[in-house]
């Protein structure tokens, strides 16, 4: 069997230093039949010099476009890619040298047109980054449904921070329908409804840097909560009960002080349940990270994630109740939170 030609598409926005680290990872790949497509999405801090420094190490191509968001930046890359199979990576990712070899082996033994891989933390990450990574992948938060073959959220939907798709998927779907606001899940849904099969490749993981402060993490998760409502604008049946859990958690925690004045036994029951949840978070995070500091920070990360998502979910849900039901948000005019 001839080896597959991959096009690795990386949108970048004001992150030349992080891009340099990812490109360094790509120079170390044991599987070599690939090109790299960099799409600069209207950055003020450009990465052209960084890309040029890899011209003798990678088959790399740089394209600049006006800012329109990551979904449309990826479409820009699709249109210029020469490969048989496309791989989407976020610019804040790191990968192991055998990443492409793992993907190639899986596609040769059990082919799928659409795959996703999980994400995890790297030893070099800061304690906050490790805590956020734990929260985003933990069974004790909605992060527990990410990167699973089967989950309460329904069929596995690959996410664009670590996604692969065949040229045929791009040709049939036409690429990303929206630029932001759940663009990757909308893309996966469209592909699945065309009959393409998705799969998780657990070994094709990335190290995902994510945010470095809880404030930025909160804004990002609030945006994710809004995005879940936007997905329901396009596909109402994709809104599942599990997607309401962060909102219910937020309301539950915020209501605990009120129960002291309404029905005191419920107040103490709420504190008891909250204490058990915090203890479980700490013990699980300590078991996985082997760090007391990260375990403590993971409690804050989990609450930040659930509160942020829940607030964004209800904010966009309230907006949805009053807007024209034919409205579809592409996200192109919405600033992604920094």
């Amino acid at each position: 069997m001839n080896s597959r030609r991959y096009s690795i598409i990386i949108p970048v926005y004001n992150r030349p230093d992080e891009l340099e680290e990812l490109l360094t990872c790509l120079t170390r790949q044991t599987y070599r039949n690939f090109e790299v497509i960099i799409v600069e999405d209207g950055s003020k801090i450009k990465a052209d010099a960084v890309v040029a420094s890899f011209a003798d190490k990678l088959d790399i191509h740089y394209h600049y476009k006006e800012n329109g968001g990551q979904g449309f930046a990826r479409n820009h890359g699709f249109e210029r890619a020469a490969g048989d199979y496309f791989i989407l990576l976020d610019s804040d990712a790191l990968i192991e040298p055998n990443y492409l070899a793992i993907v190639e082996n899986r596609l040769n033994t059990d082919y799928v047109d659409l795959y996703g891989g999980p994400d995890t933390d790297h030893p070099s990450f800061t304690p906050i980054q490790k805590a956020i990574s734990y929260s985003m992948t933990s069974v004790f938060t909605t992060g527990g449904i990410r990167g699973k073959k089967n989950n309460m959220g329904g069929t596995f939907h690959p996410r664009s921070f670590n996604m692969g798709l065949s040229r045929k998927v791009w040709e049939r779907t036409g690429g990303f329908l929206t630029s932001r606001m759940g663009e990757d899940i909308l893309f996966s849904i469209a592909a699945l409804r065309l009959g393409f099969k998705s799969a998780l490749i657990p070994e094709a993981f990335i190290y995902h840097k994510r945010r470095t402060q809880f404030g930025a993490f909160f804004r990002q998760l609030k945006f994710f909560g809004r995005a879940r409502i936007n997905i329901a604008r396009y596909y109402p049946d994709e809104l599942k009960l599990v997607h309401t859990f962060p909102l219910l958690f937020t309301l539950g925690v915020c209501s605990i002080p009120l129960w002291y004045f309404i029905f005191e036994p419920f107040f103490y029951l709420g504190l008891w349940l909250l204490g058990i949840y915090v203890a479980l978070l700490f013990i699980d995070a300590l078991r996985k990270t082997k760090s007391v500091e990260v375990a403590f920070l993971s409690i804050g990360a989990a609450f930040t994630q659930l509160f942020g998502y829940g607030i964004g979910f209800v904010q966009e849900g309230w907006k949805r109740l009053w807007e024209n039901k034919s409205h579809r948000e592409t996200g192109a005019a919405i600033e992604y939170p920094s």
Side-chain angles (χ1 to χ4, degrees), residues 13-14 44 67 180-181 223 226 331-338:
Y13 181 69
N14 292 333
K44 295 180 176 64
N67 182 259
R180 301 183 179 95
M181 296 285 281
F223 193 84
R226 294 178 60 199
I334 296 177
E335 182 69 21
Y336 189 77
S338 62

Side-chain angles (χ1 to χ4, degrees), residues 55-290:
D56 60 342
K57 305 180 187 74
L58 294 167
D59 179 5
I60 192 166
H61 310 272
Y62 175 84
H63 304 277
Y64 181 91
K65 64 179 287 295
E66 294 301 315
N67 182 259
Q70 56 266 39
F72 295 161
R74 295 179 189 115
N75 287 347
H76 197 82
F78 291 154
E79 293 165 0
R80 289 153 180 80
D84 312 304
Y85 210 97
F86 305 149
I87 292 177
L88 303 177
L89 295 173
D90 278 359
S91 61
D92 60 349
L94 301 173
I95 60 174
E96 290 285 355
N98 62 346
Y99 176 94
L100 281 172
I102 288 170
V103 172
E104 174 70 1
N105 181 64
R106 167 58 193 268
L107 296 182
N108 284 338
T109 56
D110 186 13
Y111 182 82
V112 290
D113 277 297
L114 186 67
Y115 83 83
D119 59 335
T120 186
D121 64 315
H122 189 271
S124 67
F125 289 2
T126 68
I128 288 181
Q129 285 176 313
K130 291 179 180 179
I132 289 174
S133 179
Y134 166 79
S135 180
M136 288 294 285
T137 56
S138 172
V139 70
F140 292 107
T141 69
T142 54
I145 70 173
R146 295 164 57 93
K148 306 294 183 184
K149 294 179 182 179
N150 298 293
N151 58 67
M152 291 186 293
T155 305
F156 175 64
H157 297 133
R159 308 295 178 93
S160 55
F161 61 79
N162 183 11
M163 174 192 284
L165 60 137
S166 67
R167 177 174 287 276
K168 184 183 292 186
V169 170
W170 167 58
E171 291 171 346
R172 291 284 305 281
T173 61
F176 284 81
L177 181 64
T178 67
S179 186
R180 301 183 179 95
M181 296 285 281
E183 78 287 348
D184 50 358
I185 300 177
L186 285 168
F187 177 82
S188 293
I189 293 170
L192 291 168
R193 295 196 178 195
L194 285 170
F196 293 108
K197 303 298 182 182
S198 68
L200 172 73
I201 305 181
E203 301 81 8
F205 64 87
I206 67 166
Y207 301 110
H208 204 179
K209 293 181 180 179
R210 302 191 183 281
R211 304 302 180 178
T212 57
Q213 299 296 331
F214 283 151
F217 184 50
F218 177 84
R219 291 190 294 273
Q220 183 186 45
L221 267 294
K222 183 179 175 183
F223 193 84
F224 287 177
R226 294 178 60 199
R228 178 51 64 178
I229 295 297
N230 192 48
I231 293 165
R233 289 186 174 108
Y234 291 85
Y235 300 105
D237 58 311
E238 291 290 337
L239 189 61
K240 310 293 184 182
L241 179 62
V242 68
H243 300 134
T244 68
F245 285 1
L247 173 60
L248 296 176
F249 177 86
T250 302
L251 293 175
V253 172
C254 292
S255 70
I256 289 176
L258 297 177
W259 284 110
Y260 183 83
F261 303 100
I262 299 172
F263 188 58
E264 195 169 332
F266 277 12
F267 168 73
Y268 291 108
L269 176 63
L271 287 181
W272 181 70
L273 292 174
L274 188 61
I276 290 177
Y277 177 69
V278 168
L280 288 172
L281 272 176
F282 178 82
I283 293 169
D284 187 59
L286 182 61
R287 178 179 65 86
K288 291 183 176 178
T289 67
K290 306 295 189 297

